[in-house]
Amino acid sequence: MRDPSSASGGVDERVLDDLRRRFTGFDAPAQPITPADIDATQLRRFGLPPRPGPAASGILHRVWERGFGKTLALRTFAFDPVVRRRIETTPYRISAQRANRLSATASPLDTSRNWAGAYLTANGGRQFAQIWGAWKTPETLRFPAPPNAGTPGLPYACSHWIGLDGQRRYLDASLPQVGTVSLLHADGTVTVEAWTQWWTRDAAHNAPTYLPLPLAPGDEVLCVLTAIDARRVVAVVVNLSTSPPVGIAVQYGPQPVDIGGQTISPKITGATAEWIVERPSIVGSSDIYNFPNYDSAEFDLCVAVGSPAADFPALSSGVPQILHGTRYIRMLEREPDPARIAVLSLAKRRSPTALTVTYGGMR
């Protein structure tokens, strides 16, 4: 179905009403807090992920401490005029064109026209209920040199995000995501903002929701996405570069969709978890943005947490899955003159919890 967005980049009242109903914030204390010093009830009240229990894997303690082990200032998400206006004027869409698998046996590589990165498949009879990731937003973006300069008149954009599901072709396939988007403007300046969304196949729209978190190019962010049940997630973004770090949490569910005359509410399967650099799509069009030279993206804390039950209590002792058995996605573009397939981005594992995605190939 068509995204009911205006050609100028705005969204109509139906989209805004839907987002207002589905996205809600959490309480935020007036003063900075130290999450390690508060109990599980207060963490949940503020939308923060549960602290790993004593028996939990050491890697879960490490990723949690990175984001929440020190003093943290929290901002409240509210669908106020500022957020509304930013959503109305958002010119990009984070699309979920899944990767195309080259060969299930001969290669761990998939291809995509707009994704580069990696994904894991849940093992051991579990489902993923949580995913973590940290990265530095691009400090500079550069206009690519010919022949990769892109379509004249179109802006340049790239997005970094983590998500659950999105790699299986279910009728009610969906993909909750959270991340950042960086825009390269005509004068060479770069801006960055945080966003989240629950992409759903055949939804009436897939507008991202702007998160009012202060961000500047070069800031390091930590994101965590947690399923609190099969149809509700909590997304948290923390800017680790401010003093103290500043975070924001929001909870939301999917859009209902019509499948064969029945209204279906998609749910998380927990089958896959992704760490992705994306070339966003343009509102009201099947075209995608020009892709800037971002040099490289370093994803750290790449951990997905498996649980037999997608809820907060189970996650306190969930089973982490790191970058073993990973499938990698390379971003390709068909070039007309001379006719060829150009590699726009490639991913490579740097450690069991770190991933590098490089513009134009590996160095």
Side-chain angles (χ1 to χ4, degrees):
M1 296 176 65
R2 188 179 64 86
D3 183 340
S5 306
S6 73
S8 62
V11 295
D12 69 19
E13 201 64 34
R14 292 172 295 168
V15 175
L16 295 170
D17 286 344
D18 172 69
L19 296 176
R20 188 184 299 110
R21 286 191 300 268
R22 292 192 292 119
F23 287 76
T24 58
F26 292 87
D27 291 339
Q31 300 298 322
I33 61 170
T34 303
D37 293 340
I38 64 178
D39 60 26
T41 299
Q42 288 179 297
L43 288 173
R44 190 161 190 169
R45 174 188 168 196
F46 299 141
L48 302 182
R51 190 174 187 178
S57 166
I59 197 167
L60 290 180
H61 287 275
R62 182 167 70 88
V63 297
W64 193 91
E65 290 288 335
R66 177 78 171 274
F68 307 105
K70 298 180 180 179
T71 301
L72 176 68
L74 288 173
R75 293 205 167 184
T76 300
F77 174 85
F79 210 91
D80 58 22
V82 172
V83 170
R84 176 190 172 98
R85 180 58 181 161
R86 291 300 291 269
I87 294 172
E88 285 179 324
T89 57
T90 294
Y92 59 86
R93 289 288 179 270
I94 308 300
S95 59
Q97 176 171 326
R98 83 184 279 282
N100 297 312
R101 181 164 296 185
L102 289 179
S103 170
T105 57
S107 170
L109 287 175
D110 295 358
T111 65
S112 172
R113 70 189 289 257
N114 64 332
W115 283 16
Y119 67 93
L120 288 172
T121 300
N123 57 31
R126 300 181 181 89
Q127 60 183 17
F128 288 135
Q130 189 179 67
I131 180 173
W132 296 77
W135 59 88
K136 182 180 179 181
T137 62
E139 191 164 1
T140 59
L141 295 173
R142 299 190 300 277
F143 297 103
N148 297 323
T151 304
L154 289 182
Y156 289 77
C158 66
S159 184
H160 302 59
W161 55 263
I162 59 174
L164 292 171
D165 292 339
Q167 285 299 313
R168 301 293 175 87
R169 294 185 182 274
Y170 305 123
L171 286 176
D172 59 347
S174 68
L175 172 61
Q177 307 159 274
V178 61
T180 59
V181 65
S182 299
L183 302 173
L184 174 60
H185 302 277
D187 61 359
T189 59
V190 177
T191 57
V192 58
E193 62 186 49
W195 58 270
T196 192
Q197 75 171 13
W198 192 317
W199 176 91
T200 305
R201 185 191 302 278
D202 293 331
H205 72 87
N206 276 301
T209 295
Y210 164 77
L211 299 177
L213 185 73
L215 283 174
D219 282 350
E220 184 183 9
V221 300
L222 176 142
C223 292
V224 54
L225 187 69
T226 305
I228 55 176
D229 61 44
R231 291 185 172 90
R232 184 152 294 271
V233 297
V234 174
V236 181
V237 185
V238 179
N239 185 338
L240 297 173
S241 296
T242 57
S243 184
V246 180
I248 192 168
V250 60
Q251 62 179 328
Y252 56 96
Q255 295 178 73
V257 293
D258 184 277
I259 299 177
Q262 291 187 323
T263 300
I264 303 295
S265 180
K267 64 181 181 179
I268 295 171
T269 66
T272 59
E274 295 88 19
W275 297 265
I276 299 294
V277 173
E278 179 172 350
R279 184 178 182 177
S281 60
I282 298 170
V283 170
S285 170
S286 60
D287 294 332
I288 51 181
Y289 272 95
N290 287 329
F291 200 50
N293 183 344
Y294 60 88
D295 192 26
S296 67
E298 306 288 340
F299 287 92
D300 193 13
L301 307 181
C302 298
V303 178
V305 185
S307 173
D311 58 26
F312 274 102
L315 283 170
S316 65
S317 58
V319 178
Q321 195 170 323
I322 53 179
L323 299 176
H324 292 311
T326 311
R327 291 197 68 88
Y328 300 99
I329 305 168
R330 58 181 180 178
M331 188 188 303
L332 305 180
E333 183 172 52
R334 190 180 300 276
E335 298 286 354
D337 189 18
R340 71 194 191 285
I341 300 296
V343 178
L344 291 188
S345 289
L346 285 176
K348 183 177 182 180
R349 194 185 82 160
R350 294 299 185 190
S351 80
T353 59
L355 175 76
T356 297
V357 184
T358 303
Y359 179 86
M362 305 308 297
R363 291 190 292 273

